[in-house]
Amino acid sequence: MDSLTKIDPKLLALIEQSFNNNLPMPFVKEILLIESQVVGTAYLNLIEIEPDIKIADNMIFIREPENKYDNKAIAIMDVKGNKLGYIPKEKNEILANLLDAGKFVFGKLDGKKWLGNWLKLKIKVYLRD
């Protein structure tokens, strides 16, 4: 797994604009779907980027339908495009279907803790509807 995945800069700008949109949106809700640990962090080099990852930071979800281990795989990225891990396989099917249907599903970092050289990350997953 690469710790840095190339994401189209236009997509990143669009997502960042969505997170930072301060205009009143009376019919938009953020619906909490699940709380989860991030898996796969042990296979990534997160030592350099960990200080920049803050609680409540927004996380971008990127579908990886060609993933050889799981065709419902969802990579978790920070807003700079750094891969932080994955949604656990046992929790990703419905989220993958929502993403595939064009829904805006994203995460917010809820906790982080070093356990030896493994970074344990917890996220809350939201649907913006």
Side-chain angles (χ1 to χ4, degrees):
M1 286 187 241
D2 295 289
S3 62
L4 184 63
T5 299
K6 297 286 185 191
I7 300 177
D8 184 342
K10 292 177 186 175
L11 175 61
L12 276 175
L14 181 64
I15 291 169
E16 185 67 23
Q17 181 181 5
S18 173
F19 286 137
N20 294 326
N21 189 347
N22 293 324
L23 298 174
M25 300 188 335
F27 301 109
V28 174
K29 297 180 205 168
E30 288 183 356
I31 302 163
L32 177 63
L33 299 176
I34 63 169
E35 296 180 26
S36 178
Q37 273 194 217
V38 176
V39 298
T41 60
Y43 299 101
L44 302 169
N45 183 9
L46 301 178
I47 293 171
E48 291 181 17
I49 63 171
E50 181 272 333
D52 295 329
I53 305 168
K54 307 290 185 221
I55 302 301
D57 278 357
N58 291 310
M59 301 290 135
I60 301 165
F61 295 161
I62 304 294
R63 282 280 287 117
E64 292 185 357
E66 303 299 323
N67 185 298
K68 66 181 179 180
Y69 301 105
D70 179 10
N71 66 350
K72 297 286 186 182
I74 302 169
I76 301 170
M77 320 288 278
D78 67 11
V79 293
K80 294 178 183 173
N82 297 302
K83 185 182 282 187
L84 304 176
Y86 288 88
I87 297 289
K89 186 174 185 173
E90 62 273 4
K91 294 185 176 186
N92 70 5
E93 183 174 2
I94 292 172
L95 300 176
N97 291 340
L98 288 168
L99 287 165
D100 291 347
K103 298 297 183 182
F104 186 44
V105 179
F106 67 98
K108 290 188 181 191
L109 188 64
D110 191 42
K112 70 176 184 173
K113 180 179 181 181
W114 282 104
L115 299 173
N117 58 359
W118 171 56
L119 181 59
K120 180 180 179 180
L121 298 174
K122 291 177 16 179
I123 61 167
K124 290 184 177 180
V125 178
Y126 294 89
L127 168 68
R128 184 171 287 171
D129 191 28

